[in-house]
Amino acid sequence: MFTSFSKNLKDDISAGIAVYLVGVPLSLGIAMASGAPPLSGLITGIIGGLIVSQLSGSVLGISGTAAGLTVIILAAIQQLGFNAFLLAVVLAGLIQVVLGILRAGVIAYYFPSSVINGMMYGIGLILFLKQIPHAVGYDRDFEGDVNFIQSDQYSSFSEIFHVLGSIAPGAVLISSLSLASLLIWEFWVQNRHPLLRLLQGGLVALLVGVLSNFLLGKFYPSWALSGAHLVMIPVFEHPSDILSQLYLPDFARLFDPKIYWFALTIALVASLETLLTVEAVDKMDPYKRITPTSRELIVQGIGNICAGFIGGLPMTQLIIRSSINIESGAKSRAAALTKGLLLLFTVIFIPSVFNLVPLASLASILLLAGYRLARPQVFENMCLAGRYHFIPFCATVLGLVLTDLLTGISIGMAFALIAILIENYRGSFYLREAQIGNKTVLRLSEQVSFLNKANVQRILKQLPADSEVVIDATRSKFIDYDIFEIIQNFRSEAQIKGIKLTTENLRGYGVLPPLETARAQTYDSQQSLTPAEVLTILKEGNERFVNNLKSNRNLLEQVNDTRKGQFPIAIILSCIDSRTSVELIFDQGLGDVFSARVAGNIVNDDILGSMEFACKLAGSKLIVVLGHTLCGAIKGACADVELEHLTGLLQKIKPAVKTARAEFSPENPPEQSVLVQKTAEHNVQLTVEQIRKQSPLLDDMAKAGQIDIVGAMYDVETGQVEFYTDTQPAAACCRTHTASVATSPDNAIPTGLQALGKPAV
């Protein structure tokens, strides 16, 4: 663990130095542009490194003076005075703490990634554009400016053309040498030995810049840089003199309404910039750590309270310095702490040494930082992400470059909102499944919001007349009132258009109560049901199946419910056909029904024994003999197929074949498909009759009303089950056909050999 900490500390110190080197001129420039004492910007950077970074949940974020607040700070100082402005900063910090306690940080999760990526890319372009004048010696605009229209009334683009007549050869030479040394060091020298990694490329670039300017002063003075072309940290004769430059808030202005207006403005803008940067930094973090945003608001508020009390400017988390921190290999908060300690040491002990650094040399570091934020690959990746992400990304970039940070973000958010609305309109809020016939299933998602309104209306209006529509809200946890109202109004429209409308679990609007899960049958629930009620349950289950719906079940819960016993309500005899799984067809769960399966749904002693167990001992109330269309066993029986043990099984279906053929005259035989279906129907009816005849126990229970025995036919093409609920006439029908067969010599159901046209043995 100590080895790992030691390794990280080396990386963090190196990264902290890189952030410190660019942080000094940026803090000074923003302070001077804001009309504040130069030291106030450095104070904020020190607090950000020593206090905020150690309390923050953002491991790699760097906090300090933000260029985005420059206009607000300047207006506040001009209207209030610096001391009263500091009171507004303290109050702004308190507001941020309250926002954090109220969990306002969740706002960060609603920033689209296209806007976040656009912000990073746009700031990278701005940084690159703004450093070009400094790289050639034109330093009239303050370091750290991110606005399109600058304080010298030129724009980011016109400034570049304007400096063509004011190029300083010495600055060009220094920035070129610094940039070259930075690239050579980072991409070639630094990785050659572990010790070389301790020396940050930015520091090498600044050393080259200072040395170059020193040599120019010695051998070519006219090219040497001085005055406004160098960093200008306030220099004090004695370290204790710094205390005289610390300003305190003017609490006498506590009841001035303007104080609170500026405090609220600073708090909201600073919080917004911080939350945006937090999202961006989390994206850049190589370990993909997630920052708790509400905690970050509280910590930023504490930082602003501290800054306001000792003369600092308002702070936010900063994208440029944070990106440099990450690119420089920072691993933990120690990098920000290193930056804060170095700033404090510089201000107290070596301000004159840092004042030797040319701004042209710093420009080389920031040019590379800007390029890294605005890599061409980022643009390419956003293009591949699709137009609904690419257009808001481009809008954010253009907004930032052509206006300012907040306006650019607002433009990007507006485009992102439009893209979300269009994507919601075009995208599906349900699963639309084509069914056999004219049926449409609309399955609503968990959250059906107002954004889905236009799409819901469009889909419902497009439904054809005389069709079937199922609206399933089983999964929904929230339905907007407007959506609920549209569906309710559609009920009337559906009647006019002849649309059969089925709604499932549409249980209101707003936050919906959770659905109760369908539990396994218990002894009490089983015994309370009549055979007719069980039949109704199966019919309702099949209707759900046909409509592509199903009960809300927790199968693991049903496993737990049935671990000590089972109480099925019915036993269903069906074919082994893979398409006739009765639990699915009747929408039943674990422990609800017994399932007996055999080819051709025939009955034998084993099946009868199972039925007697189910009804007499296990309490089932209904026996269902379920045939199905297009049955392979029925086809085999009709075609007189013989195959090993299958032959004996098919013999049991032959009476149904004979009964079906008897319905047609020999001169007008039926088509094979018609014969197969007729045989399947008679096979069900005969099986029901055989159950009654061959099991006196079951017959007596049926006559006593304890159970019922019914036949049914499943259509494999539609999923529907047709029940032959009037069993007595069906039995009579079977008896009629049996009587006609009874004239055979056996005076019983013919044997298989006779059915095949062979002599009986």
Side-chain angles (χ1 to χ4, degrees):
M1 182 176 178
F2 177 78
T3 304
S4 176
F5 174 78
S6 176
K7 180 181 178 181
N8 287 344
L9 187 60
K10 294 174 184 178
D11 294 329
D12 290 332
I13 290 175
S14 178
I17 292 172
V19 177
Y20 152 74
L21 294 175
V22 298
V24 171
L26 290 175
S27 298
L28 289 171
I30 293 169
M32 290 186 288
S34 303
L39 187 62
S40 60
L42 296 175
I43 290 172
T44 302
I46 293 169
I47 293 173
L50 300 184
I51 299 176
V52 173
S53 67
Q54 305 310 299
L55 299 177
S56 172
S58 180
V59 178
L60 302 181
I62 300 295
S63 297
T65 313
L69 294 172
T70 302
V71 176
I72 300 172
I73 296 172
L74 179 62
I77 292 175
Q78 289 175 344
Q79 294 186 39
L80 303 175
F82 190 66
N83 294 87
F85 159 74
L86 294 178
L87 177 60
V89 175
V90 172
L91 295 175
L94 290 173
I95 293 172
Q96 285 185 293
V97 171
V98 173
L99 289 174
I101 293 173
L102 296 176
R103 304 294 181 187
V106 296
I107 296 171
Y109 303 135
Y110 294 95
F111 295 135
S113 61
S114 57
V115 175
I116 300 297
N117 290 327
M119 180 189 73
M120 292 190 291
Y121 198 89
I123 288 177
L125 288 178
I126 292 170
L127 185 59
F128 193 90
L129 292 172
K130 295 290 187 181
Q131 293 310 310
I132 293 175
H134 294 294
V136 298
Y138 188 85
D139 298 311
R140 294 187 183 179
D141 187 33
F142 69 91
E143 189 68 77
D145 187 11
V146 294
N147 294 332
F148 182 66
I149 302 300
Q150 302 173 167
S151 57
D152 58 3
Q153 302 308 310
Y154 289 102
S155 71
S156 300
F157 295 119
S158 62
E159 180 92 328
I160 295 174
F161 294 103
H162 177 67
V163 302
L164 294 177
S166 305
I167 294 176
V172 174
L173 177 63
I174 290 171
S175 61
S176 299
L177 291 173
S178 297
L179 182 59
S181 63
L182 175 60
L183 294 174
I184 292 171
W185 186 265
E186 290 200 352
F187 294 102
W188 188 59
V189 176
Q190 194 173 38
N191 294 326
R192 288 181 171 269
H193 195 279
L195 291 177
L196 295 177
R197 295 176 189 171
L198 297 176
L199 188 57
Q200 182 55 236
L203 180 58
V204 173
L206 292 191
L207 292 175
V208 169
V210 172
L211 179 60
S212 300
N213 197 43
F214 175 77
L215 293 175
L216 287 175
K218 282 285 186 180
F219 301 104
Y220 211 87
S222 61
W223 281 27
L225 302 179
S226 61
H229 299 296
L230 303 176
V231 175
M232 292 186 293
I233 300 177
V235 179
F236 303 97
E237 292 184 4
H238 194 274
S240 60
D241 294 340
I242 297 176
L243 297 177
S244 63
Q245 297 299 313
L246 299 182
Y247 295 84
L248 300 177
D250 183 5
F251 286 99
R253 302 280 296 276
L254 188 60
F255 299 102
D256 186 343
K258 289 184 179 180
I259 297 287
Y260 293 92
W261 168 253
F262 279 110
L264 181 61
T265 303
I266 292 170
L268 294 179
V269 174
S271 298
L272 180 61
E273 290 194 19
T274 292
L275 294 176
L276 285 165
T277 303
V278 162
E279 286 292 292
V281 170
D282 286 350
K283 279 179 171 289
M284 292 186 288
D285 185 353
Y287 299 103
K288 302 304 176 187
R289 290 165 286 198
I290 303 299
T291 300
T293 50
S294 294
R295 172 182 169 182
E296 187 64 24
L297 288 181
I298 295 174
V299 173
Q300 291 288 328
I302 293 172
N304 278 322
I305 293 171
C306 295
F309 268 113
I310 59 174
L313 297 181
M315 72 172 60
T316 69
Q317 195 170 123
L318 306 165
I319 185 65
I320 294 175
R321 275 163 265 189
S322 297
S323 68
I324 292 174
N325 190 39
I326 294 170
E327 290 287 350
S328 300
K331 298 293 191 300
S332 71
R333 297 178 181 85
L337 180 63
T338 300
K339 183 265 299 186
L341 291 172
L342 288 174
L343 276 177
L344 181 62
F345 181 79
T346 300
V347 169
I348 297 176
F349 299 108
I350 57 168
S352 56
V353 174
F354 205 95
N355 287 346
L356 297 174
V357 176
L359 294 179
S361 185
L362 282 167
S364 66
I365 300 174
L366 295 174
L367 281 170
L368 182 59
Y371 171 79
R372 283 171 168 165
L373 281 173
R375 289 185 178 96
Q377 294 90 332
V378 176
F379 190 86
E380 181 181 351
N381 291 339
M382 291 306 300
C383 184
L384 294 174
R387 58 183 175 179
Y388 294 122
H389 297 276
F390 183 63
I391 292 175
F393 167 80
C394 291
T396 306
V397 172
L398 291 175
L400 257 70
V401 173
L402 299 179
T403 57
D404 55 64
L405 181 62
L406 290 180
T407 305
I409 293 296
S410 300
I411 292 171
M413 289 294 292
F415 273 85
L417 178 59
I418 294 172
I420 290 170
L421 290 172
I422 294 174
E423 199 169 17
N424 262 274
Y425 181 75
R426 291 178 179 271
S428 61
F429 58 92
Y430 56 85
L431 297 177
R432 185 173 184 173
E433 302 176 7
Q435 300 292 322
I436 300 297
N438 205 15
K439 179 178 293 183
T440 302
V441 177
L442 307 181
R443 200 181 305 280
L444 302 181
S445 64
E446 285 193 1
Q447 302 290 327
V448 189
S449 70
F450 175 80
L451 297 177
N452 300 124
K453 180 177 180 179
N455 213 6
V456 172
Q457 283 184 318
R458 178 176 63 86
I459 293 297
L460 293 180
K461 284 187 177 297
Q462 290 177 350
L463 293 172
D466 302 318
S467 61
E468 291 186 47
V469 181
V470 178
I471 300 177
D472 180 16
T474 300
R475 294 187 177 93
S476 298
K477 295 181 179 178
F478 174 86
I479 296 179
D480 185 79
Y481 175 77
D482 285 32
I483 305 297
F484 180 78
E485 187 177 47
I486 289 171
I487 296 173
Q488 294 300 103
N489 293 338
F490 179 70
R491 293 181 186 274
S492 301
E493 184 181 350
Q495 291 180 349
I496 296 172
K497 296 172 68 175
I499 296 175
K500 180 183 177 183
L501 174 63
T502 302
T503 58
E504 181 77 2
N505 292 317
L506 186 64
R507 53 200 186 278
Y509 55 86
V511 178
L512 303 179
L515 283 175
E516 292 185 7
T517 56
R519 305 297 291 265
Q521 296 292 337
T522 65
Y523 174 79
D524 292 334
S525 66
Q526 180 201 58
Q527 293 302 308
S528 67
L529 293 171
T530 65
E533 289 172 337
V534 173
L535 183 61
T536 300
I537 290 173
L538 295 183
K539 287 180 177 179
E540 291 174 348
N542 180 244
E543 185 177 1
R544 288 194 297 274
F545 174 73
V546 170
N547 288 327
N548 201 22
L549 304 171
K550 57 184 178 181
S551 299
N552 184 37
R553 286 190 175 86
N554 183 330
L555 294 180
L556 189 60
E557 185 178 65
Q558 291 194 327
V559 169
N560 186 61
D561 288 344
T562 57
R563 73 189 189 280
K564 292 184 178 179
Q566 58 173 338
F567 304 96
I569 58 176
I571 177 169
I572 303 173
L573 171 61
S574 63
C575 182
I576 63 168
D577 192 295
S578 61
R579 298 165 292 180
T580 60
S581 176
V582 296
E583 287 83 2
L584 296 177
I585 291 171
F586 295 111
D587 187 32
Q588 298 300 304
L590 296 175
D592 290 340
V593 294
F594 286 113
S595 177
R597 303 185 70 172
V598 63
N601 43 275
I602 61 168
V603 69
N604 57 30
D605 287 347
D606 297 327
I607 297 293
L608 286 173
S610 299
M611 290 178 174
E612 290 169 351
F613 166 79
C615 296
K616 189 64 177 178
L617 300 181
S620 296
K621 300 299 182 71
L622 185 67
I623 297 174
V624 179
V625 178
L626 181 66
H628 69 94
T629 61
L630 304 178
C631 178
I634 300 294
K635 290 179 181 179
C638 292
D640 298 326
V641 171
E642 294 184 2
L643 177 66
E644 296 290 339
H645 295 86
L646 178 62
T647 303
L649 185 147
L650 296 181
Q651 292 299 325
K652 296 179 182 295
I653 304 174
K654 290 298 183 176
V657 177
K658 188 171 183 179
T659 304
R661 281 178 174 155
E663 295 184 7
F664 303 92
S665 64
E667 295 80 16
N668 189 24
E671 294 182 2
Q672 185 69 10
S673 59
V674 175
L675 177 63
V676 168
Q677 183 55 34
K678 283 288 184 180
T679 301
E681 294 171 1
H682 284 292
N683 185 54
V684 169
Q685 294 166 348
L686 288 170
T687 301
V688 170
E689 181 63 18
Q690 288 170 7
I691 293 171
R692 290 180 178 273
K693 283 186 174 182
Q694 297 177 28
S695 176
L697 172 64
L698 296 176
D699 188 45
D700 290 343
M701 292 183 72
K703 289 177 179 178
Q706 297 173 343
I707 65 169
D708 199 359
I709 307 171
V710 300
M713 183 61 60
Y714 172 67
D715 191 329
V716 297
E717 295 180 286
T718 66
Q720 291 180 319
V721 174
E722 179 187 359
F723 282 91
Y724 307 144
T725 53
D726 191 5
T727 57
Q728 293 305 320
C733 172
C734 293
R735 283 194 293 273
T736 300
H737 290 296
T738 304
S740 65
V741 173
T743 58
S744 68
D746 295 315
N747 196 28
I749 296 175
T751 65
L753 291 175
Q754 289 173 321
L756 291 171
K758 298 180 180 180
V761 177

